[in-house]
Amino acid sequence: MANQRTHVDVPKGSIQDTVGIIVRIHAGRHTSEDIKATLRGMGLAKKYDAVFTKLDSECIKKLKAYDAYLAYGYVSMATVEQLLQRRAYTSAITGVRQTLSDNMTIEKLLGDINILCVSDLVHELYSVGEYFDKAKGLLCTFKLASPVGGYEKDVLQVHDKVEEKGGFLSDTMDSFLAKIV
C-alpha cells in the first residue's frame, strides 16, 4: 500500500524546514487507544482539528505512522493568515476558548517578544522564528469545517482511499485546506 502513495515518498532535497499544518482526517472509531491518545497529545482530538508545526524531515518521519489519520504539509503565508483571521482562538487569557480577534490581545500576550498584531503573529509562525513555540502556544487547536466537494462521501467512507488521501501532501496542502477553511 505504501508504494501507491507517491505523495508520501518525497526526495530529501524537497523537504523544507518550514511551517506546516497537521489536520486529522479520520475519526478512527475502531482505532486502538494508544493511537487515539497520541493524536489527542498532538492536539487533534476530533476529526478536522488542525495545528501548526515545524515540518522538517524528522517530524515527517514521526508522522508517517499516522498517515491513515492525518494529512500534513506545507502552507503558504496567505493560508496561515487566513487561518488566523478566520479560525484563531486562544485560551491564554481566561482559560476559556475565545476568539483571537483583536491586536490588543496579541500585544498583551506576546508584546514582550515584539509580536504586536496579527501580521506579526503570521510572520513569526510562517518563518518559524525564534519564538515560534511561544506564538503557537497562544493558539488553540483549529476546528475546521467538513470539506466541500464530495470529499466525505467519495473518499472518507472507503478506508483504503483515506490512506491514499492522507499523509504528507507537500505543497498541495493549500488546496486541501481551501476545502475546509
Side-chain angles (χ1 to χ4, degrees):
M1 185 60 85
N3 59 355
Q4 294 176 350
R5 290 188 232 151
T6 57
H7 61 279
V8 173
D9 301 321
V10 178
K12 290 186 182 218
S14 68
I15 295 178
Q16 311 158 20
D17 290 339
T18 186
V19 70
I21 194 164
I22 306 170
V23 179
R24 184 169 177 174
I25 60 168
H26 194 276
R29 288 183 298 250
H30 306 291
T31 305
S32 74
E33 285 302 317
D34 292 340
I35 291 175
K36 289 179 183 179
T38 303
L39 294 174
R40 279 192 300 271
M42 287 186 225
L44 305 171
K46 295 183 178 180
K47 195 174 182 180
Y48 302 122
D49 282 359
V51 292
F52 286 121
T53 188
K54 179 181 178 186
L55 200 56
D56 54 10
S57 57
E58 195 66 33
C59 181
I60 292 170
K61 286 178 190 173
K62 289 178 185 176
L63 292 173
K64 280 191 181 187
Y66 305 101
D67 278 356
Y69 306 97
L70 305 173
Y72 50 96
Y74 304 117
V75 290
S76 66
M77 185 179 264
T79 302
V80 172
E81 184 175 14
Q82 186 179 34
L83 278 167
L84 288 177
Q85 289 176 348
R86 289 185 180 184
R87 304 272 182 176
Y89 287 85
T90 186
S91 60
I93 298 173
T94 61
V96 177
R97 185 178 156 96
Q98 64 185 29
T99 307
L100 187 63
S101 58
D102 63 346
N103 291 336
M104 294 302 287
T105 305
I106 295 171
E107 185 175 356
K108 186 186 313 179
L109 296 169
L110 299 174
D112 59 326
I113 57 173
N114 206 25
I115 297 176
L116 306 174
C117 61
V118 174
S119 297
D120 292 342
L121 186 58
V122 168
H123 181 267
E124 186 67 25
L125 291 169
Y126 184 73
S127 65
V128 189
E130 182 180 351
Y131 300 107
F132 175 80
D133 291 329
K134 189 168 182 180
K136 185 181 105 169
L138 169 73
L139 301 170
C140 291
T141 301
F142 293 100
K143 307 288 185 189
L144 304 177
S146 296
V148 295
Y151 186 81
E152 284 280 334
K153 183 178 176 187
D154 296 341
V155 176
L156 293 183
Q157 298 302 322
V158 182
H159 186 72
D160 292 339
K161 289 190 177 185
V162 170
E163 290 181 357
E164 292 173 13
K165 292 292 183 180
F168 183 60
L169 300 181
S170 186
D171 295 325
T172 62
M173 196 66 191
D174 282 331
S175 61
F176 175 78
L177 286 174
K179 297 177 183 178
I180 58 179
V181 173

